[in-house]
Amino acid sequence: MRRKKFSNKASTIPDVKSVLNDLSDRFNLSIAVLKGKAINYYFEILDSLNPVFKEFVKISDLTEGILYVKVSNSSIRNELFMFNNYILKTVNDKMGSRFINKIVLVS
């Protein structure tokens, strides 16, 4: 059995970064990644305000610039309502653009 001989020519295999960028463009993954970042920033800010908030908060949806947040405790919902503008501004500052236009608190 003969062994294959490998040439010393430059490889035509694309690098990982170009493959991931191509897949991201092809399947529109960049929007999903941005949504994930915004949600993570939201929870970071909640944790910095009061770690108890995270126990009662669940993200329902993020579509068309509106973040829908489900809050299971009415007292926590009232406190979050008071911090709504601060959270919105801080998330958008961390994102580098106005990614979220409005935060809607639902029960």
Side-chain angles (χ1 to χ4, degrees), residues 64-102:
E64 299 177 10
I66 301 173
L67 179 66
Y68 295 94
V69 180
K70 185 174 182 177
V71 186
S72 60
N73 185 308
S74 60
S75 299
I76 302 292
R77 186 173 42 257
N78 289 338
E79 284 192 53
L80 287 177
F81 185 75
M82 291 188 297
F83 288 116
N84 210 4
N85 288 334
Y86 169 76
I87 295 170
L88 181 64
K89 182 185 179 314
T90 309
V91 168
N92 285 329
D93 287 347
K94 286 183 176 245
M95 292 295 291
S97 66
R98 190 162 171 90
F99 189 75
I100 298 175
N101 298 321
K102 186 178 181 182

Side-chain angles (χ1 to χ4, degrees), residues 4 17 29-30 38 41 44 52-54 58-60 65 74 79 81 83 86 91-92 95 97 100 104-105:
K4 283 187 175 181
K17 184 177 181 180
L29 296 177
S30 58
Y41 289 145
E44 281 179 18
V52 175
F53 287 166
K54 288 174 29 176
K58 191 177 205 180
I59 302 297
S60 296
S74 60
E79 284 192 53
F81 185 75
F83 288 116
Y86 169 76
V91 168
N92 285 329
M95 292 295 291
S97 66
I100 298 175
V104 177
L105 302 173

Side-chain angles (χ1 to χ4, degrees), residues 2-8:
R2 294 187 128 172
R3 296 181 106 182
K4 283 187 175 181
K5 291 185 179 181
F6 292 101
S7 67
N8 292 335

Side-chain angles (χ1 to χ4, degrees), residues 17-31 33:
K17 184 177 181 180
S18 64
V19 170
L20 289 176
N21 286 337
D22 183 42
L23 287 173
S24 173
D25 293 341
R26 190 178 304 168
F27 295 109
N28 203 11
L29 296 177
S30 58
I31 299 296
V33 170

